Amino acid sequence: MGIVKIDDELHAEARRASAVMCRSINAQAEFWMTIGMLAEANPTLSFNEIVRRQYESARLRAVAA
């Protein structure tokens, strides 16, 4: 575990997003970093495709509404 210095406004956005998504601030930041890293490595994939692949790699089944 390490400490990462981020802009105060980005921290506030992570706090707001974490409340909506029912995640801790750290979990929200980790989610954003993971998705961002995967998006950079796979620039042709959409956000939804990245998330779907993450579900598949965790062997979770997303149910469409």
Side-chain angles (χ1 to χ4, degrees), residues 6-29 31-32:
I6 63 171
D7 178 75
D8 289 340
E9 183 55 33
L10 183 57
H11 185 268
E13 289 179 28
R15 180 180 300 281
R16 289 189 297 271
S18 71
V20 171
M21 300 306 292
C22 300
R23 296 181 179 120
S24 69
I25 295 171
N26 287 346
Q28 184 65 42
F31 174 76
W32 282 350

Side-chain angles (χ1 to χ4, degrees), residues 31 35 38 46-56:
F31 174 76
I35 295 299
L38 290 169
S46 69
F47 169 79
N48 290 336
E49 183 67 16
I50 290 169
V51 171
R52 186 185 65 76
R53 288 183 180 198
Q54 288 297 100
Y55 270 102
E56 288 174 354

